[in-house]
Amino acid sequence: MKLVTCCSFKGGAGKTTALMGLCSALVADGKRVALFEADENRPLTRWRENATKRNAWDTACEIFIADELPLLEHAYEQAEAENFDYALADTHGGSSELNNTIIASSQLLLVPTMLSPLDADEALATYRYIIELLIGENLAIPAAILRQRVPVGRLTSSQRTVLEMLGELPQTDRPMHERDAFAAMKNRGMLHLNIRSAQTNPAMRLALRNLTTAMEELHELGRFVDNALEQ
Ligand SMILES: Nc1ncnc2c1ncn2[C@@H]1O[C@H](COP(=O)(O)OP(=O)(O)OP(=O)(O)O)[C@@H](O)[C@H]1O
Ligand SMILES: [Mg+2]
């Protein structure tokens, strides 16, 4: 089992959304995914509740509550024993002993960030924190910036400057763009299942295109993650 973790100091950086999207891409690809709910606000549990109501929860995915160290250890052991292909950990913002443990137990770390200077500063601080932690623990775990909520249209000059700065660090091949389909996931459930039901509903034909464009972006993220894990 491979553990992939989304972390950032900054709240609202797009960690949970990136994780939901990655989960959908991996599950759509036939993989079994354990979700480690390490944020005490339990956004993933809420996601499953909303998804289940809409028939958009895939049982190839299971949530393990992991917002305290003993629960995390238990979740890890159980998910490993149940032969999940991946575990995806959703952390709360900031640094904590729990986050440190999750980071040090991961095989890949993703640091999502939006493109404002403030967000980018926080992403850099998170990245530096991760690297210092890994050096201190004598661990070599790949970490990559995930540019999140990137506007689909023209970027402002400030956003272009931020992109250039972030380009100095390892990053995922492609960003996640600002898309309604991503914002809606928390209420609508897994994107690949939304697509499946939209395909059978003629009224959803226009929306379908937006959903499939968004899904393609998630598959690219999935491929990046697989490549990084193989290195
Ligand atoms: N690519 C995207 N396109 C559109 N909306 C997005 C995108 N990514 C995230 N959002 C929206 O931004 C908000 C914050 O995202 P999210 O909850 O994923 O951040 P977070 O880092 O997990 O926050 P927290 O620190 O509170 O856990 C949510 O309302 C989410 O729907
Ligand atoms: Mg979150």
Side-chain angles (χ1 to χ4, degrees):
M1 185 180 73
K2 307 282 192 188
L3 175 59
V4 180
T5 297
C6 271
C7 38
S8 72
F9 283 156
K10 177 129 189 336
K15 298 180 287 296
T16 305
T17 307
L19 220 67
M20 288 172 181
L22 178 59
C23 174
S24 181
L26 295 173
V27 167
D29 222 22
K31 302 294 196 302
R32 292 181 66 235
V33 176
L35 289 175
F36 289 175
E37 178 97 283
D39 179 348
E40 61 281 1
N41 296 315
R42 307 215 168 158
L44 297 174
T45 302
R46 233 174 11 251
W47 184 41
R48 181 180 53 197
E49 282 165 9
N50 293 338
T52 306
K53 278 186 213 144
R54 292 173 162 260
N55 227 355
W57 183 260
D58 201 313
T59 51
C61 171
E62 216 176 293
I63 296 179
F64 296 81
I65 301 297
D67 56 3
E68 288 173 28
L69 274 177
L71 291 175
L72 172 70
E73 278 166 27
H74 184 69
Y76 200 102
E77 277 166 20
Q78 193 148 350
E80 191 119 84
E82 291 179 25
N83 285 321
F84 279 91
D85 299 297
Y86 300 84
L88 307 181
D90 187 29
T91 59
H92 57 90
S95 61
S96 65
E97 200 188 350
L98 179 70
N99 279 358
N100 289 353
T101 307
I102 295 176
I103 289 170
S105 314
S106 300
Q107 275 76 48
L108 175 65
L109 300 161
L110 296 175
V111 181
T113 181
M114 293 193 279
L115 299 188
S116 80
L118 179 69
D119 285 280
D121 270 350
E122 295 275 2
L124 292 179
T126 305
Y127 190 85
R128 190 177 311 121
Y129 178 85
I130 288 172
I131 298 303
E132 280 168 9
L133 181 76
L134 297 181
I135 290 173
E137 298 288 331
N138 210 5
L139 291 166
I141 302 169
I145 300 283
L146 168 59
R147 293 150 291 165
Q148 243 287 39
R149 304 190 71 170
V150 174
V152 174
R154 233 180 112 74
L155 300 184
T156 63
S157 64
S158 147
Q159 288 167 333
R160 285 198 298 272
T161 307
V162 167
L163 269 188
E164 234 167 74
M165 186 180 81
L166 293 176
E168 302 292 320
L169 296 178
Q171 47 184 294
T172 62
D173 305 328
R174 299 280 187 92
M176 274 178 76
H177 285 96
E178 172 84 31
R179 295 187 189 280
D180 291 342
F182 293 146
M185 278 191 300
K186 56 183 177 294
N187 298 319
R188 290 202 200 134
M190 295 200 193
L191 193 55
H192 67 291
L193 296 184
N194 295 156
I195 289 175
R196 231 175 267 171
S197 55
Q199 278 165 340
T200 60
N201 181 353
M204 289 291 286
R205 207 164 287 154
L206 273 179
L208 187 59
R209 216 179 135 177
N210 291 339
L211 298 182
T212 49
T213 305
M215 193 68 219
E216 187 41 48
E217 216 161 277
L218 297 178
H219 280 302
E220 277 175 15
L221 179 60
R223 286 191 285 271
F224 171 86
V225 164
D226 275 337
N227 284 338
L229 290 172
E230 274 166 22
Q231 305 290 311

